[in-house]
């Protein structure tokens, strides 16, 4: 049961270029999406989120795009920096109703090469 | 920056032994969670806790698991009789409010995790 899927386990990008991390979901009840970043030996830290009423949310170098019809979201990092190297988790939630926990994808290891 | 702290960072135990993982959530947070990540797999929800009782739990959270808030600061996860498949990184998280609001006000803050290895 993989309601949230990140099909690319790893991604390498040159410093200064754009990093695009992708995420697909199957549960149409999800109406809120988040990206978490995780460094080794640390817990996931919140990065950026988007509600299903929007199709784009931007915060500095980070932009999340949501395509509801395709049940797809992506995280764009531009320009990429070596400090962005981490595992990025996509997560989804249902903001109303009884199910309020986060459903995570399996993560994508981003490596930004200097 | 307030943080969620977890102990131990790594525990090795024999199959069948009881394990208690401890967490100190952020002090003004009211909602507490346990997630786990088996090596190479996704982070999975285990349980959420509020007002001294379980609010939600997943199918993973069977009778072998229990949670407790024994005092005003700690939040613990107990595994009564560990199995090999319990080997994972266990993350505690806390939040100020319940769930995800449409405005996005709520975000879970995670601890660094406790790695459990069952031999």
């Amino acid at each position: 049961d993989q309601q949230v899927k990140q099909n690319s386990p790893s991604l390498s990008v040159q410093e200064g270029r754009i990093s695009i991390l992708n995420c697909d979901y199957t549960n149409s009840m999800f109406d809120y999406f988040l990206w978490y970043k995780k460094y080794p030996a640390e817990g996931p830290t919140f990065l950026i989120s988007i509600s299903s009423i929007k199709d784009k949310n931007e915060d500095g170098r980070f932009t999340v795009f949501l395509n509801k019809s395709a049940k797809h979201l992506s995280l764009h990092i531009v320009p990429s920096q070596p400090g962005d190297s981490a595992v990025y988790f996509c997560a989804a939630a249902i903001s109303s109703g009884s199910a309020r926990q986060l459903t995570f994808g399996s993560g994508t290891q981003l490596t930004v090469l200097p | 920056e307030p943080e969620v702290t977890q102990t131990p960072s790594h525990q090795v135990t024999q199959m069948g032994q009881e394990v208690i993982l401890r967490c100190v959530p952020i002090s003004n947070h009211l909602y507490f969670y346990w997630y786990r990540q088996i090596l190479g797999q996704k982070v999975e929800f285990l349980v959420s806790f509020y007002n001294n009782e379980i609010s939600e739990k997943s199918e993973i959270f069977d009778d072998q698991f229990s949670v407790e808030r024994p005092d005003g600061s700690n939040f613990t996860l107990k595994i009564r009789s560990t199995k090999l498949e319990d080997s994972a990184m266990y993350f505690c998280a806390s939040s100020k409010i319940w769930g995800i609001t449409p405005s996005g006000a709520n975000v879970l803050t995670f601890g660094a995790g406790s790695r459990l290895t069952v031999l």
Side-chain angles (χ1 to χ4, degrees):
Chain A
D1 173 21
Q2 290 206 42
Q3 296 188 71
V4 178
K5 291 178 73 171
Q6 294 177 256
N7 290 318
S8 298
S10 64
L11 174 69
S12 290
V13 169
Q14 209 67 37
E15 181 179 5
R17 308 296 285 267
I18 185 170
S19 295
I20 300 176
L21 297 103
N22 293 301
C23 178
D24 297 292
Y25 62 96
T26 57
N27 189 343
S28 57
M29 296 293 290
F30 289 141
D31 60 356
Y32 197 71
F33 305 90
L34 308 91
W35 285 93
Y36 277 79
K37 179 170 71 173
K38 185 183 178 306
Y39 293 116
E42 295 183 15
T45 57
F46 172 74
L47 191 57
I48 193 169
S49 64
I50 188 167
S51 164
S52 60
I53 61 174
K54 296 185 176 182
D55 54 19
K56 176 183 174 181
N57 188 26
E58 192 172 348
D59 183 3
R61 296 186 297 114
F62 302 92
T63 303
V64 56
F65 295 91
L66 175 63
N67 182 333
K68 288 187 291 292
S69 61
K71 294 191 176 69
H72 176 83
L73 64 154
S74 60
L75 174 68
H76 293 211
I77 307 172
V78 55
S80 302
Q81 300 172 353
D84 295 329
S85 296
V87 177
Y88 288 79
F89 291 101
C90 169
I94 301 169
S95 61
S96 60
S98 63
R100 295 188 176 93
Q101 67 266 24
L102 298 178
T103 301
F104 283 87
S106 54
T108 297
Q109 171 70 57
L110 173 66
T111 302
V112 181
L113 304 168
Chain B
E1 182 86 30
E3 58 181 28
V4 175
T5 56
Q6 291 185 241
T7 54
S9 57
H10 188 194
Q11 180 157 356
V12 181
T13 189
Q14 293 290 323
M15 190 170 58
Q17 295 296 304
E18 176 182 283
V19 160
I20 297 176
L21 305 178
R22 292 182 167 80
C23 170
V24 179
I26 293 173
S27 60
N28 64 347
H29 285 187
L30 300 176
Y31 303 90
F32 315 113
Y33 313 82
W34 283 100
Y35 284 75
R36 79 171 185 190
Q37 184 183 23
I38 295 172
L39 187 64
Q41 299 185 24
K42 61 183 179 178
V43 176
E44 300 173 292
F45 170 77
L46 292 179
V47 66
S48 58
F49 189 88
Y50 169 70
N51 200 26
N52 282 319
E53 59 182 27
I54 290 173
S55 302
E56 289 177 318
K57 60 183 181 179
S58 71
E59 62 276 6
I60 302 169
F61 194 88
D62 62 22
D63 292 343
Q64 293 299 310
F65 290 88
S66 63
V67 288
E68 194 178 31
R69 189 149 162 84
D71 53 42
S73 59
N74 288 285
F75 177 51
T76 61
L77 174 69
K78 182 194 291 186
I79 309 174
R80 288 191 185 81
S81 178
T82 50
K83 303 188 283 284
L84 295 177
E85 53 265 37
D86 294 328
S87 294
M89 180 71 87
Y90 289 81
F91 293 105
C92 173
S94 67
S95 65
K96 199 177 289 188
I97 59 176
W98 178 232
I100 306 292
T101 65
S103 65
N106 185 35
V107 168
L108 273 63
T109 301
F110 285 85
S114 292
R115 179 167 297 284
L116 175 64
T117 302
V118 182
L119 302 176

